[in-house]
Amino acid sequence: MISQFFHADLAPRTWRRIAAVVVVAFGALAGAVQADTVSTFKLDNGMDVVVIEDHRAPVVVHMVWYKIGAADESPGHSGIAHFLEHLMFQGTKEVAPGALSKIVAAQGGSDNAFTTQDYTAYFQRVASDRLGLVMKLEADRMHNLDLSQKNVDTERQVILDERNQRVDSDPGALFNEQMDAAQYLNQPYGIPVIGWRHEMEKLSRQDALDFYQANYAPNNAILVVAGDVKPDEVLALAKQYYGPIPPSDKIHPRVRPTEPPQLAERRLTMSDPRVAQPFVVRTYLAPQRHPGDQKEAAALTMLAQLLGGNRATSVMPKALEFDQKIATYTSASYDGLSMDATTFGLAAVPADGVSLGDLEKAMDAVLAKFLKDGVDPAEFARIKAQVAAQQIYDRDNTQGLAHQYGMALASGLSVKDVQDWPAALQAVTPDEVVAEARKVLDRRHSVTGWLTAEEAQQ
């Protein structure tokens, strides 16, 4: 299972060549977006159905996205969403524990699942003529899961072992947990998807059963089918296998606690002798992609690319890694696909002999210069071309396309928002990027963390 956690001063001819690349890439991108043939339906029991036609190969990706994630868990039950993801592979009255994956593999297919703060998803990739089989299997475990005490006890130990391996034995993962907890005082994104160990240990069969019966229902799910299929055929199969499942009357509106205004910078230092390479990280609260209005998120996406998207030419690596040579790695990151406010992140790894304090001061100086000087037009044009190309590549993969729509829809966006996103990115102006940077990159709204092998001096 998967759990979740360019330079200016170019000659006019060069500038025209870059601009032409942007135009060509954007034109190709527009064609790629138009090639997304998407049909949507809603079953009588409330299940949303999304069909994405892609007839290039006789393959289909079948995904069920539940609009429930770790941030929707009740207090004291952290990790229950991920726990249930594991239990979903423990069989039903008709299918033995672990048999679903074996059945899919016997058909030449693959399957998996993942849990995030905002959703839990299950998927299979098979030949298109096997769609009915995987749909039958997935519908079966939507309402016939065998939650025996034996299975619950076995999988509870599995998730505790997973926490040991992926988190407790990794100082970087522990550090990320502490950063999130410091960032979110009230919003549940501060709680790890896998859960806090002391709460995971107490998760019971009744906890799992209550969570399953309340949330694993067609009126809380999105079916995404992408590949060599026809919409009417998918709809007929969905009605046959998912249609008879009754809706749940226990689903609560996804209203979560929100963050109070952050009035002061937060800082933490974590030392662990297992740390091989110290680094500094800073995160700022940032807006997510909003349904019908993705302008802010598009500007922040471009800002992340400008600051750290290309190690050879972006602002931070160029200044800190190549000009000053005080860092061996730098990055900027932003992902707006979330139900609630997300984060904009910066990270830097010092070169030998450089302290975390000196590296952080240099990083702040680079940010201040960027906010003062603004965006290099040539670099911005290059980044737009790169982003356009990446959007095309992402749409060249059926499973990736299904993921794009599923993640967005499960996070509260619409099909139109997904299809408008590439154009929103291309419509961003340098002035909008700088304006958003000045609003988000405010130290008073940040958390700065140092991870080191020894106690560091602030």
Side-chain angles (χ1 to χ4, degrees):
M1 285 58 168
I2 306 167
S3 295
Q4 304 239 145
F5 199 0
F6 308 77
H7 188 60
D9 288 345
L10 297 176
R13 180 180 299 175
T14 306
W15 165 255
R16 286 194 296 270
R17 189 160 55 244
I18 293 171
V21 170
V22 174
V23 171
V24 171
F26 186 48
L29 175 60
V33 174
Q34 292 169 1
D36 292 351
T37 305
V38 181
S39 303
T40 60
F41 310 95
K42 186 180 283 288
L43 303 186
D44 291 342
N45 58 13
M47 187 175 197
D48 291 310
V49 180
V50 179
V51 183
I52 308 166
E53 293 183 70
D54 182 352
H55 300 288
R56 292 174 297 175
V59 174
V60 65
V61 175
H62 170 269
M63 309 190 76
V64 173
W65 299 74
Y66 290 97
K67 293 181 282 187
I68 190 79
D72 301 301
E73 297 165 340
S74 59
H77 295 85
S78 65
I80 188 66
H82 174 251
F83 186 27
L84 187 57
E85 177 210 315
H86 278 252
L87 289 169
M88 285 284 280
F89 288 84
Q90 287 305 305
T92 68
K93 299 172 185 177
E94 304 294 330
V95 179
L100 186 149
S101 295
K102 293 178 182 177
I103 293 170
V104 173
Q107 306 300 315
S110 60
D111 76 306
N112 215 318
F114 51 90
T115 303
T116 73
Q117 296 284 8
D118 294 315
Y119 47 77
T120 308
Y122 303 82
F123 66 91
Q124 301 85 30
R125 179 183 173 88
V126 292
S128 51
D129 62 355
R130 301 295 192 272
L131 176 60
L133 171 63
V134 296
M135 202 176 282
K136 178 181 179 181
L137 292 168
E138 198 65 73
D140 178 44
R141 66 176 171 177
M142 179 183 281
H143 70 126
N144 285 326
L145 189 62
D146 179 16
L147 281 174
S148 68
Q149 187 64 53
K150 177 182 178 182
N151 287 341
V152 169
D153 292 342
T154 298
E155 287 306 314
R156 187 195 302 109
Q157 189 56 51
V158 169
I159 62 171
L160 288 169
D161 290 343
E162 184 177 340
R163 181 174 172 94
N164 279 338
Q165 295 169 4
R166 294 189 177 185
V167 182
D168 296 335
S169 63
D170 182 351
L174 290 170
F175 177 71
N176 288 337
E177 281 191 347
Q178 295 300 306
M179 286 289 295
D180 288 341
Q183 182 75 76
Y184 295 101
L185 297 185
N186 196 47
Q187 212 276 345
Y189 285 170
I191 300 172
V193 171
I194 199 169
W196 299 118
R197 169 173 287 279
H198 65 285
E199 293 182 347
M200 295 166 65
E201 291 172 340
K202 297 178 181 178
L203 293 176
S204 68
R205 177 182 180 275
Q206 192 60 50
D207 292 332
L209 189 62
D210 290 345
F211 193 84
Y212 174 68
Q213 291 178 340
N215 301 297
Y216 275 54
N219 54 324
N220 201 38
I222 304 165
L223 170 64
V224 178
V225 177
D228 187 25
V229 293
K230 294 186 181 300
D232 56 345
E233 295 172 352
V234 174
L235 179 59
L237 288 171
K239 287 180 177 179
Q240 178 182 350
Y241 293 112
Y242 293 107
I245 304 174
S248 170
D249 60 1
K250 299 177 182 179
I251 297 169
H252 299 294
R254 302 182 82 182
V255 179
R256 299 168 177 169
T258 56
E259 281 296 292
Q262 183 177 345
L263 305 179
E265 177 186 9
R266 300 167 194 154
R267 299 187 65 89
L268 65 91
T269 300
M270 178 175 163
S271 60
D272 190 308
R274 297 172 295 178
V275 172
Q277 178 63 65
F279 58 85
V280 58
V281 173
R282 182 179 299 148
T283 57
Y284 306 81
L285 276 179
Q288 72 274 37
R289 283 169 63 178
H290 295 292
D293 183 6
Q294 304 179 89
K295 183 179 290 187
E296 281 185 313
L300 288 169
T301 300
M302 290 299 185
L303 176 63
Q305 292 296 313
L306 280 165
L307 291 180
N310 186 304
R311 290 196 65 201
T313 57
S314 294
V315 171
M316 284 180 45
K318 185 175 186 302
L320 301 177
E321 295 180 47
F322 296 101
D323 293 346
Q324 300 179 46
K325 295 182 173 54
I326 62 172
T328 59
Y329 174 80
T330 56
S331 71
S333 60
Y334 170 77
D335 182 359
L337 270 179
S338 63
M339 286 283 296
D340 300 297
T342 183
T343 58
F344 188 98
L346 303 171
V349 175
D352 288 343
V354 178
S355 70
L356 291 177
D358 287 343
L359 180 58
E360 184 184 342
K361 289 176 184 176
M363 184 175 74
D364 283 330
V366 170
L367 293 176
K369 186 175 187 303
F370 173 81
L371 293 176
K372 178 181 179 228
D373 295 346
V375 176
D376 181 319
E379 173 62 7
F380 197 60
R382 264 195 300 266
I383 284 177
K384 279 198 171 185
Q386 292 168 357
V387 168
Q390 188 59 52
Q391 292 284 324
I392 296 171
Y393 300 148
D394 290 344
R395 280 171 163 73
D396 195 44
N397 181 286
T398 302
Q399 188 158 324
L401 200 56
H403 270 78
Q404 283 189 39
Y405 280 90
M407 288 187 295
L409 296 173
S411 301
L413 299 176
S414 68
V415 168
K416 187 175 187 304
D417 290 323
V418 178
Q419 296 182 331
D420 287 348
W421 178 241
L425 291 171
Q426 294 299 322
V428 173
T429 67
D431 288 345
E432 289 170 340
V433 171
V434 173
E436 201 61 32
R438 287 175 177 156
K439 182 165 62 174
V440 170
L441 303 182
D442 185 333
R443 288 276 294 270
R444 295 170 299 178
H445 306 157
S446 71
V447 177
T448 302
W450 293 3
L451 179 63
T452 178
E454 301 175 351
E455 291 293 339
Q457 297 297 319
Q458 295 281 349

